[in-house]
């Protein structure tokens, strides 16, 4: 029971060869019965149980009975024959005692094995339960989120105070960022519209209580489109970190708590890559369970596409409703924030169906200019 299969079979073959010895054992019924059991053992369908030991003990007891019966008649036999019978009886008693010990040990081993099997089955059932699987998935999500935050803070949110004159010292983004004035287009009667200043982050991502999935942020060169993306990243990192104490007057941190994940893509580094899915897989290939996150949690994911005016694709996209735009999977419920210069949006003639929210960056007001 403790041997490797190949080694056990080697031993069994040796036993069978001895038991089939033509001079003596080949014609003995008990020897050939043993051969059959050994052959069964090799087939893996022969099970050694305590019942086998019971059979052995019964055979020993029967033999002892015969010996005892013989000793009753020993008085008429010679002294030498009587001594032989006594010796045989002693040997049988010793054999029976040894068999009893082996049976007891076998029962003990079976009990231990049965207990271990029950514990293992119990453990596997727990690990395979929907609750345990969900717990493991949530743990994996938390690890991915931590990995993203560390990446953003070390690679994205370390910036120069003056972008046009980068120095050797980089600062935390929140120490040097000034939020620009942001306006949204409000439709009025008879096709007229007006611009309204955005006063909180919730006004960017919701309208009349409904979530806005396709948000476009436009502004001229140097108006702060990329910095606005970093502002969103900074708010998201703080929303999912312990102990942040930064002023949240724009309620950006509060709004970002609604989203489990944020993925930033610089479109000028992804020219001629057709779909958002491909961009994510290339940029975030080190994130474990990325495909599962994108499949199961798309409703709580923000994707930042920075610089639409710097992106192009050589051939037509596969979806007529997304002409000139990176392709997205319509079965997913991502929130997608795209930054661009105004001319690109106009040249593509992006439909209202594609634009749920159109924001404009207006630069700093007088108060911020002085600051």
């Amino acid at each position: 029971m403790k041997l490797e299969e190949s080694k056990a079979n080697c031993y069994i073959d040796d036993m069978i060869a001895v038991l089939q010895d033509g001079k003596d054992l080949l014609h003995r019924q008990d020897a050939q019965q043993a051969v059959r059991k050994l052959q069964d053992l090799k087939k893996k369908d022969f099970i050694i149980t305590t019942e086998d030991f019971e059979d052995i003990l019964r055979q020993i007891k029967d033999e002892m009975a015969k010996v005892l019966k013989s000793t009753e008649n020993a008085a008429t036999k010679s002294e030498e024959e009587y001594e032989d019978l006594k010796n045989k009886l002693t040997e049988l008693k010793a054999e029976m005692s040894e068999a009893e010990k082996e049976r007891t040990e076998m029962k003990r081993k079976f009990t231990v094995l049965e207990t271990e099997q029950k514990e293992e089955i119990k453990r596997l059932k727990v690990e395979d339960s929907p609750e345990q699987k969900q717990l493991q998935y949530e743990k994996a999500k938390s690890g991915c989120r931590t990995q993203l935050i560390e990446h953003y803070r070390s690679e994205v949110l370390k910036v120069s105070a003056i972008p046009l004159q980068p120095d050797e010292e980089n600062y935390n983004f929140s120490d040097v960022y000034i939020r620009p004035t942001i306006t949204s287009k409000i439709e009025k009667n008879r096709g007229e519209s007006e611009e309204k200043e955005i006063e909180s982050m919730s006004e960017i991502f919701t309208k009349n209580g409904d979530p806005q999935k396709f948000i476009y942020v436009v502004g001229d060169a140097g108006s702060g489109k990329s910095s606005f993306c970093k502002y969103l990243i900074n708010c998201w990192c703080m929303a999912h970190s312990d102990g942040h104490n930064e002023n949240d007057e724009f309620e950006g941190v509060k709004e970002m708590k609604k989203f489990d994940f944020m993925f930033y893509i610089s479109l000028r580094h992804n020219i001629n890559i057709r779909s958002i899915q491909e961009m994510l897989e290339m940029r975030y290939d080190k994130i474990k369970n990325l495909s599962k996150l994108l499949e199961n949690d798309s409703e709580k994911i923000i994707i930042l596409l920075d610089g639409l005016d710097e992106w192009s694709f050589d051939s037509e996209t596969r979806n007529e409703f997304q002409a000139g735009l990176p392709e997205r999977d319509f079965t997913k419920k991502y929130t997608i924030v795209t930054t661009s210069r105004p001319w690109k949006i106009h040249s593509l003639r992006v439909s209202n169906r594609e634009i749920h929210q159109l924001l404009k960056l207006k630069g700093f007001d007088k108060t911020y200019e002085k600051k």
Side-chain angles (χ1 to χ4, degrees), residues 13 18 44 48 76 91 109 136 161 171 183 197 221 238 287 291 316 324-325 328 343:
D13 289 340
V18 172
K44 300 182 182 178
I48 299 176
T76 59
E91 290 174 4
K109 289 181 177 179
Q136 292 173 348
Y171 298 86
T183 64
E197 183 174 346
M238 288 192 294
I287 299 294
S291 298
E316 289 292 326
L325 298 172
R328 68 174 184 272
W343 66 263

Side-chain angles (χ1 to χ4, degrees), residues 137-152 236 260-263 284 286-293:
Y137 179 58
E138 292 299 326
K139 186 177 180 180
K141 282 174 58 177
S142 179
C144 293
R145 194 157 40 240
T146 300
Q147 193 177 354
L148 270 177
I149 291 172
E150 290 175 353
H151 163 69
Y152 288 145
W236 181 81
D260 287 347
F261 290 94
M262 176 178 285
F263 297 102
Y284 296 98
K286 302 299 183 184
I287 299 294
K288 295 180 180 179
N289 299 308
L290 177 64
S291 298
K292 192 172 183 179
L293 292 174

Side-chain angles (χ1 to χ4, degrees), residues 19-34:
L19 291 169
Q20 290 183 332
D21 177 61
K23 293 182 179 179
D24 183 23
L25 297 176
L26 182 63
H27 304 293
R28 285 185 55 173
Q29 184 177 354
D30 56 347
Q32 298 316 304
Q33 184 179 358

Side-chain angles (χ1 to χ4, degrees), residues 116-333:
E116 290 176 352
Q117 287 177 334
K118 286 180 179 179
E119 290 297 324
E120 180 68 9
I121 291 171
K122 183 179 179 181
R123 183 184 65 79
L124 291 174
K125 284 182 177 179
V126 170
E127 288 185 356
D128 202 43
S129 67
E131 295 81 5
Q132 187 68 16
K133 284 184 177 179
Q134 184 62 30
L135 184 63
Q136 292 173 348
Y137 179 58
E138 292 299 326
K139 186 177 180 180
K141 282 174 58 177
S142 179
C144 293
R145 194 157 40 240
T146 300
Q147 193 177 354
L148 270 177
I149 291 172
E150 290 175 353
H151 163 69
Y152 288 145
R153 285 181 169 166
S154 63
E155 304 295 333
V156 179
L157 297 178
K158 292 290 185 181
V159 297
S160 170
I162 305 175
L164 296 180
Q165 297 179 12
D167 52 29
E168 293 182 1
E169 183 177 1
N170 286 328
Y171 298 86
N172 291 326
F173 176 80
S174 57
D175 293 337
V176 298
Y177 180 69
I178 300 297
R179 178 172 44 82
T181 300
I182 306 171
T183 64
S184 65
K185 187 177 180 181
I186 305 298
E187 299 293 339
K188 300 183 71 176
N189 296 331
R190 298 177 182 179
E192 297 179 353
S193 63
E194 67 177 11
E195 290 186 1
K196 174 184 177 298
E197 183 174 346
I198 297 293
E199 297 179 355
S200 72
M201 188 75 84
S202 62
E203 293 180 24
I204 294 176
F205 291 94
T206 59
K207 187 184 292 185
N208 299 322
D210 297 324
Q212 305 301 291
K213 292 296 183 181
F214 309 133
I215 300 166
Y216 287 78
V217 180
V218 298
D220 295 325
S223 61
K225 299 182 294 296
S226 294
S227 293
F228 179 71
C229 287
K230 292 182 179 181
Y231 171 65
L232 293 177
I233 292 172
N234 190 54
C235 289
W236 181 81
C237 288
M238 288 192 294
H240 296 281
S241 302
D242 296 330
H244 80 85
N245 52 9
E246 198 164 319
N247 185 16
D248 192 27
E249 61 178 14
F250 196 60
E251 297 186 343
V253 176
K254 179 182 178 182
E255 189 68 19
M256 289 300 103
K257 286 183 181 292
K258 299 177 182 177
F259 299 95
D260 287 347
F261 290 94
M262 176 178 285
F263 297 102
Y264 171 71
I265 295 174
S266 174
L267 289 175
R268 69 190 179 96
H269 293 105
N270 288 273
I271 294 173
N272 285 328
I273 298 178
R274 184 196 301 266
S275 71
I276 295 173
Q277 181 81 17
E278 291 174 287
M279 295 177 189
L280 290 171
E281 289 173 353
M282 289 181 62
R283 181 67 186 83
Y284 296 98
D285 60 318
K286 302 299 183 184
I287 299 294
K288 295 180 180 179
N289 299 308
L290 177 64
S291 298
K292 192 172 183 179
L293 292 174
L294 298 176
E295 184 68 30
N296 297 341
D297 296 272
S298 63
E299 194 167 6
K300 291 189 175 183
I301 290 176
I302 292 183
I303 298 173
L304 304 180
L305 302 180
D306 186 23
L308 179 63
D309 52 284
E310 299 182 88
W311 177 84
S312 63
F313 191 72
D314 288 341
S315 59
E316 289 292 326
T317 52
R318 292 169 288 198
N319 195 307
E320 59 181 306
F321 300 113
Q322 295 180 316
L325 298 172
E327 286 187 2
R328 68 174 184 272
D329 186 345
F330 280 102
T331 64
K332 305 295 190 297
K333 298 180 180 179

Side-chain angles (χ1 to χ4, degrees), residues 1 33 38 40 70 78 84 96 105 130 155 172 208 237 311:
M1 293 170 67
Q33 184 179 358
L38 288 169
D40 288 341
S70 298
S78 66
D84 288 342
M96 184 173 181
E105 179 62 16
E155 304 295 333
N172 291 326
N208 299 322
C237 288
W311 177 84

